[in-house]
Amino acid sequence: MTKSRRRRISTVVRYAVLSVWAVIAFFPIYWMIATSFKIDTQWFAWPPVYIPNPPTLANYRNVWLGAEEYTSTQYAISSQTPLVSLKNSVIISFTATFLAVFFGAIIAYGASRYRLLSEARMFQLLMLRMIPPIVVVAPLSLYYSAIGLLDTLFGLILIYFITSLPYAVWMTKSFIDEVPREVEQAAEILGASRWRTVFEVVLPLIRSGLVATFLFILILTWSEYLLALILSKTNVTTLPIELSKYQGTTEGRVYGRQAALAVGITVPLMIIGLVIRKHLARGFSFGMVRR
Amino acid sequence: MARIELHNLRKTYGSVVAVKDINLTIEDGEFVVLVGPSGCGKTTTLRMIAGFEDPTAGEIRIDGRVVNDLEPRDRGLGMVFQSHALFPHKTVAQNIEFGLRMKKVPAPERQARVRAVAEMVRITHLLDKMPGQCSGGESQRVALARTLVTNPSTFLLDEPLSSLDAKLRRELRAECDRLHEELKRTFIYVTHDQEEAMTLADRIVVMRQGEIEQIGSPLDIYSRPASYFVADFFGSPSMNLVAGEVVHEDGGVRFRSKKLSVDLTARYAHVPPGKATLGIRPEHVGVGFDGTGANVLPARLIEPLGKDTLIYFDDGTERAFVAVTEGLGKAALKVGTPVSLAFDPRHIYLFGSDGRRIDPK
Ligand SMILES: Nc1ncnc2c1ncn2[C@@H]1O[C@H](COP(=O)(O)OP(=O)(O)O)[C@@H](O)[C@H]1O
Ligand SMILES: [Mg+2]
């Protein structure tokens, strides 16, 4: 076999394998989107309906606008409040993520520049995050009920902030470490104060990294389920909790509307990702580009 | 005005002593070069003067005032870093303007001063570019301009040219020299390049393992090296340093090595017999072709450099023994030709087993 022929075959094989993998990976996402546009009789149809026919927006209307089309049928879910959950999710995850990145960056700056945290401490910080949440969730809910944080916005913001902080410190520290000390010192000896140096030199240089960290943590908090399930009841529901209601045993599985809700949960993150993709590419490859 | 004094200045990192109790006074307007091999503590010394490292012990004074506890920005110094350390997200103009903004200089004046220094170091065409678009030499000029514009009393430069190629280095070296002439400021310049030190300095401070080995004018350092180390460090090609011993015989004093034997004259009569090193610069080695004399060695390699020709010999030690002859007259010399080497007593150096120079009486 000639060399070029061998290379061609290997290319074909590679693409074949990757294509199969891509189909496997993307199929659930496709199925979610397709189902969200299906009429109710096609949700469970056998043989499966791959392309909604006719496509309908009924699921979206029903879930997001509370349209009454289905109220008389078995698919009605009395306590649906996706818009309220959306509001809660936005408030909770954006606030918690912002706080985590903000304080994480401050801690990371200290760790990077003043050696406030030793390697061991930094690792312990990350270890904290390796504890499976389910282990602490029961005692935590007792605490929360005792101090009145159960089922409050603040309670969830607080727990998301705390659990994200280690990630935020680790990620932002790696970006701060990449900023040469001499660049900061150049600013200092030119007359800039500590704060001026941070705002004029360090922050602009790690902006992409902060944005990448922000998105990473936002994804985690946006889709967090377990803590939200235990630490909130009916007052403060988030979108992942809302989504799970459509798996209820009493109402049966309302796949179409669950899919419509799921698409609604996914799309905002994808839009944010697209808007800031310039930062993401720079943020995640920062270390590789500089050295 | 800036007279900088270092008193018993010391810096340790754990068990590493980076700077070992050095004493040095740098006069106002002087161009002082700290020179020495990598790791000898030059950068640490400079960074302590700048205020980026706290001395472990000792004092730094600027114009008589102890500045140990003063922040870098309050010391009135300017620093040019080896890495240039430009702000990558600001244009060249904004880089230069930075120091003036920090000092709250009004905008119109800032513009004028940025333009003035840009002209001074010839980078006006770069003002709107980003540092990433500048070449190494250009960013070095920008770094200089950024420091110049704040009008510091003293310039601290840490190997500013080491990242540049040889031609550019010469060019910017001349630039530094010119700036010093024009500005009449104190310059403290760090380098590991002996040639840079020789051409730039009013005074050279040779450092070795955290200590000052010798302080002196370039001429001093070159013609009166205090030690083996200094003798070896300065000059290109470097000084011939031949290990051997001093012997007293027939009422005279001689230096003997494996293949060489040199009459040290009566001026060295006070030197006790024992191990020593003989030094002579390649340009002071006399060469003859009559095959007579005490030291006749075959030429091993002829290296015509244009202005001079270098002749290499094997004197039985690890390093080649080198003689320089002017012009290309000897370029056609055949390898193996016996050459008589002459050692003018006025130009030889003798170093004791402790490495210090032993002077003739
Ligand atoms: N931050 C530091 N931590 C530990 N050791 C250091 C540090 N900075 C310098 N040193 C050590 O101090 C010595 C002098 O370093 P330096 O001043 O950078 O030398 P030079 O600039 O002459 O090459 C070296 O042995 C170096 O390893
Ligand atoms: Mg150095």
Side-chain angles (χ1 to χ4, degrees):
Chain A
M1 219 186 310
T2 65
K3 204 168 172 186
S4 76
R5 182 135 174 242
R6 206 159 47 220
R7 194 172 305 144
R8 207 160 51 234
I9 289 176
S10 101
T11 305
V12 168
V13 169
R14 199 157 58 229
Y15 274 93
V17 169
L18 287 176
S19 303
V20 170
W21 175 246
V23 169
I24 293 174
F26 280 109
F27 185 74
I29 295 170
Y30 169 75
W31 197 250
M32 169 182 83
I33 295 169
T35 304
S36 74
F37 290 108
K38 284 177 193 168
I39 54 172
D40 53 356
T41 54
Q42 291 174 355
W43 296 346
F44 308 94
W46 192 265
V49 178
Y50 289 98
I51 296 165
N53 183 25
T56 173
L57 287 174
N59 294 317
Y60 286 92
R61 270 205 301 276
N62 184 273
V63 167
W64 292 101
L65 304 176
E68 299 297 303
E69 287 162 49
Y70 289 104
T71 42
S72 58
T73 75
Q74 54 170 326
Y75 310 130
I77 291 173
S78 51
S79 65
Q80 291 168 35
T81 49
L83 284 181
V84 175
S85 302
L86 176 67
K87 195 186 82 189
N88 288 339
S89 272
V90 167
I91 292 174
I92 292 170
S93 35
F94 276 82
T95 311
T97 305
F98 175 80
L99 291 176
V101 175
F102 182 79
F103 286 103
I106 291 175
I107 295 170
Y109 186 80
S112 176
R113 294 303 194 234
Y114 298 97
R115 305 210 179 86
L116 288 187
L117 298 174
S118 63
E119 290 285 309
R121 285 280 172 289
M122 281 297 289
F123 189 67
Q124 283 163 12
L125 196 64
L126 199 62
M127 291 266 287
L128 214 62
R129 199 57 189 77
M130 291 174 188
I131 302 168
I134 191 101
V135 175
V136 291
V137 102
L140 202 59
S141 77
L142 286 178
Y143 276 171
Y144 262 49
S145 79
I147 56 177
L149 285 181
L150 211 58
D151 210 11
T152 62
L153 279 176
F154 179 72
L156 279 182
I157 290 171
L158 183 68
I159 195 66
Y160 285 170
F161 164 64
I162 292 171
T163 52
S164 315
L165 194 60
Y167 288 139
V169 174
W170 265 82
M171 287 185 68
T172 50
K173 179 167 180 292
S174 71
F175 296 115
I176 294 170
D177 284 343
E178 294 287 336
V179 177
R181 289 209 73 168
E182 292 198 338
V183 172
E184 261 182 84
Q185 288 169 340
E188 244 179 278
I189 203 163
L190 286 168
S193 65
R194 257 288 154 203
W195 283 109
R196 262 328 254 282
T197 308
V198 168
F199 280 107
E200 288 230 15
V201 177
V202 183
L203 269 186
L205 289 178
I206 61 168
R207 199 177 52 200
S208 289
L210 291 184
V211 170
T213 309
F214 188 90
L215 186 69
F216 176 73
I217 292 177
L218 186 67
I219 290 170
L220 292 182
T221 53
W222 184 257
S223 54
E224 204 285 331
Y225 176 68
L226 184 66
L227 290 168
L229 183 68
I230 308 287
L231 299 180
S232 72
K233 294 280 173 276
T234 52
N235 202 6
V236 185
T237 52
T238 60
L239 284 174
I241 302 293
E242 191 66 29
L243 192 61
S244 72
K245 286 185 186 166
Y246 289 79
Q247 295 274 28
T249 44
T250 47
E251 294 87 359
R253 308 202 152 180
V254 269
Y255 282 139
R257 274 178 268 154
Q258 193 179 26
L261 187 58
V263 169
I265 296 175
T266 315
V267 164
L269 286 189
M270 290 176 65
I271 291 174
I272 294 175
L274 282 177
V275 169
I276 63 175
R277 68 185 184 284
K278 190 187 79 191
H279 287 289
L280 288 185
R282 291 215 340 243
F284 284 128
S285 61
F286 197 66
M288 279 159 268
V289 172
R290 283 205 58 90
R291 239 154 260 187
Chain B
M1 278 295 287
R3 179 173 195 265
I4 295 176
E5 295 161 85
L6 312 180
H7 287 283
N8 297 322
L9 198 63
R10 183 180 185 85
K11 179 72 188 181
T12 57
Y13 296 104
S15 61
V16 179
V17 184
V19 174
K20 210 179 282 178
D21 310 316
I22 65 172
N23 287 286
L24 178 65
T25 302
I26 296 158
E27 298 296 338
D28 183 43
E30 214 180 0
F31 198 128
V32 165
V33 175
L34 302 184
V35 65
S38 176
C40 69
K42 311 178 294 287
T43 297
T44 307
T45 306
L46 202 68
R47 289 174 56 84
M48 282 194 282
I49 297 173
F52 295 130
E53 305 283 347
D54 289 328
T56 309
E59 266 178 9
I60 302 163
R61 291 191 202 151
I62 300 179
D63 291 330
R65 175 168 171 228
V66 177
V67 297
N68 285 38
D69 294 327
L70 231 49
E71 292 289 324
R73 65 171 179 279
D74 299 323
R75 296 189 184 195
L77 312 170
M79 180 145 176
V80 177
F81 295 87
Q82 182 169 6
S83 61
H84 310 177
L86 298 179
F87 308 127
H89 57 297
K90 294 179 187 286
T91 64
V92 166
Q94 288 168 337
N95 262 278
I96 301 174
E97 195 188 15
F98 188 86
L100 297 177
R101 265 181 46 231
M102 294 304 118
K103 294 194 168 64
K104 306 213 162 39
V105 175
E109 189 189 334
R110 290 205 302 259
Q111 305 266 306
R113 280 170 70 177
V114 166
R115 198 139 269 285
V117 289
E119 270 160 29
M120 195 172 196
V121 295
R122 302 186 201 101
I123 50 166
T124 33
H125 59 294
L126 297 175
L127 284 174
D128 295 326
K129 289 198 175 172
M130 298 305 281
Q133 299 168 289
C134 297
S135 70
E138 287 171 345
S139 28
Q140 193 51 266
R141 283 172 192 270
V142 177
L144 264 173
R146 188 177 64 173
T147 304
L148 276 172
V149 79
T150 60
N151 206 8
S153 68
T154 302
F155 289 83
L156 309 175
L157 305 104
D158 189 1
E159 311 224 8
L161 310 183
S162 65
S163 58
L164 310 177
D165 63 49
K167 184 163 170 290
L168 213 50
R169 215 153 51 212
R170 269 198 299 280
E171 201 180 299
L172 276 163
R173 201 162 71 197
E175 194 88 347
C176 283
D177 219 10
R178 181 176 65 89
L179 286 175
H180 178 243
E181 289 292 312
E182 281 177 22
L183 300 168
K184 309 214 177 339
R185 300 287 155 145
T186 312
F187 276 59
I188 307 178
Y189 187 108
V190 161
T191 180
H192 63 264
D193 180 346
Q194 55 92 16
E195 193 183 323
E196 232 167 79
M198 292 297 243
T199 48
L200 284 173
D202 292 329
R203 220 151 45 108
I204 293 177
V205 177
V206 188
M207 293 187 67
R208 178 195 186 191
Q209 292 176 2
E211 290 179 287
I212 293 179
E213 185 86 0
Q214 186 175 4
I215 303 178
S217 69
L219 185 66
D220 257 354
I221 299 273
Y222 191 77
S223 58
R224 299 176 48 77
S227 65
Y228 180 99
F229 175 80
V230 178
D232 194 23
F233 197 83
F234 290 88
S236 173
S238 51
M239 188 187 280
N240 293 302
L241 289 157
V242 186
E245 56 181 341
V246 173
V247 294
H248 291 244
E249 56 183 27
D250 311 331
V253 193
R254 297 195 76 76
F255 172 85
R256 273 190 209 287
S257 73
K258 274 210 184 101
K259 295 190 182 171
L260 301 175
S261 170
V262 179
D263 181 9
L264 290 179
T265 74
R267 295 165 68 221
Y268 283 97
H270 63 288
V271 183
K275 281 202 166 20
T277 302
L278 179 90
I280 183 163
R281 295 214 177 266
E283 63 267 32
H284 294 144
V285 177
V287 292
F289 299 93
D290 50 9
T292 62
N295 300 297
V296 180
L297 292 177
R300 273 294 158 92
L301 176 72
I302 321 310
E303 200 173 70
L305 295 181
K307 195 165 73 62
D308 308 304
T309 300
L310 304 188
I311 310 174
Y312 291 78
F313 304 92
D314 175 8
D315 66 356
T317 62
E318 279 168 24
R319 288 166 43 156
F321 189 93
V322 184
V324 175
T325 60
E326 242 176 77
L328 292 171
K330 301 290 179 290
L333 202 67
K334 286 224 167 49
V335 171
T337 311
V339 180
S340 310
L341 304 174
F343 294 78
D344 184 336
R346 283 172 306 166
H347 290 307
I348 62 176
Y349 303 92
L350 199 64
F351 301 98
S353 49
D354 59 353
R356 309 307 299 177
R357 191 184 73 225
I358 301 171
D359 279 333
K361 282 251 165 71

